Amino acid sequence: MLAYESLTTKPWQYYRGPNVWNEPTDKTFNYGGHQAAGKFIASGMIEAGFDVSYAYKPLHHQLGHAFLNTLLFLDYDRKGFPYPVVPFQVNCYGRRVVATAGRRARDESVPKGR
């Protein structure tokens, strides 16, 4: 859970290929965060027994590529993205991937309900 007040990023700073907008490498994007909402959601999940990681400020890069690409595409026409964002990850691999430690499993090799 990234409970930031705001997010400032330069998506093309380290990117080595062309981008569809032909934006320069020093192009900066500013997005509004919602720290109170992020804290509220993280606290509620922790109280409900979920093991949630959270941050109130970035230590390195502002956003991972999956979050950043989403914001870039939501503002595809570059008119601005006026909505506050609270990025959070969800483990969506499911039981079969976890049970096989990432190896591809045949249906019969993983017990049902595990």
Side-chain angles (χ1 to χ4, degrees), residues 2 24 27-28 32 35-36 42 50 64 66 85 104 108:
L2 303 181
K27 172 84 175 177
T28 301
Q35 193 170 61
F50 289 91
V85 295
R104 188 177 183 141
E108 67 273 8

Side-chain angles (χ1 to χ4, degrees), residues 17-61:
N19 62 73
V20 298
W21 299 277
N22 291 318
E23 293 168 332
T25 57
D26 62 347
K27 172 84 175 177
T28 301
F29 290 85
N30 298 300
Y31 299 103
H34 201 300
Q35 193 170 61
K39 286 181 175 183
F40 178 81
I41 295 167
S43 296
M45 292 182 75
I46 290 168
E47 289 170 6
F50 289 91
D51 185 15
V52 176
S53 61
Y54 58 91
Y56 299 139
K57 62 182 181 177
L59 295 178
H60 304 289
H61 299 288

Side-chain angles (χ1 to χ4, degrees), residues 1 4 6 8 27 42 45 47 56 60 76 79 88 110 113:
M1 181 78 52
Y4 299 166
S6 63
T8 302
K27 172 84 175 177
M45 292 182 75
E47 289 170 6
Y56 299 139
H60 304 289
Y76 197 87
K79 293 183 179 179
F88 62 94
V110 177

